[in-house]
Amino acid sequence: MQASVELLQMISQVGYMACFGGDVQRSQTIMEGVNAIGVEQTPIKMGVAIAKIYAGHYDQAIHILRDDVLLKEVDHMSAKCFLGIALSQKGEKAEARELFEEVVRKGNKDESSIAAAYLNT
């Protein structure tokens, strides 16, 4: 199936809304479908990873962020920030801290703010 980038983004937004609204199962279903259609798109991979984090599937999120996003875009600060969050949730605080410190230094305002908040917890 061919889907436009715009359509995939819109469907991803529905997945985010489900995720942030507490409907983790529906979010996972939506994001997995989007991922199946838009397999090569970094924003899609990021959305799937974020939904995995919210669902508590940290190992899956870590795999997506490390093996899909960061292999292609080694300086993707949002990916590093969310990887830090997933690692932090798993108790891998030292590695998460390194990522958060890098994001604070190199990330945009939003990324840096999120990373700084995690550094202060």
Side-chain angles (χ1 to χ4, degrees):
M1 174 181 185
Q2 291 285 65
S4 70
V5 171
E6 293 81 15
L7 177 60
L8 291 173
Q9 288 173 337
M10 185 171 45
I11 296 170
S12 293
Q13 289 173 353
V14 172
Y16 283 131
M17 289 172 27
C19 180
F20 300 141
D23 193 344
V24 175
Q25 184 59 42
R26 184 164 285 138
S27 171
Q28 293 295 297
T29 302
I30 293 167
M31 296 308 285
E32 291 296 333
V34 170
N35 187 45
I37 296 168
V39 293
E40 296 301 318
Q41 298 179 25
T42 296
I44 300 300
K45 295 292 185 188
M46 288 295 300
V48 172
I50 292 167
K52 295 286 185 196
I53 290 169
Y54 271 85
H57 301 153
Y58 306 119
D59 288 329
Q60 293 172 355
I62 290 166
H63 170 73
I64 292 166
L65 293 166
R66 277 189 179 147
D67 299 337
D68 290 333
V69 178
L70 289 170
L71 275 181
K72 293 177 186 168
E73 299 180 43
V74 296
D75 291 323
H76 195 293
M77 290 298 121
S78 289
K80 289 185 179 192
C81 187
F82 283 102
L83 177 57
I85 292 169
L87 290 167
S88 179
Q89 294 299 315
K90 282 195 60 178
E92 298 178 29
K93 303 290 186 187
E95 186 176 357
R97 181 172 195 74
E98 289 177 24
L99 289 165
F100 291 140
E101 288 172 349
E102 179 181 1
V103 172
V104 165
R105 287 190 317 273
K106 297 179 181 177
N108 66 31
K109 182 180 176 184
D110 292 335
E111 296 159 344
S112 295
S113 295
I114 294 167
Y118 274 89
L119 282 171
N120 293 322
T121 58

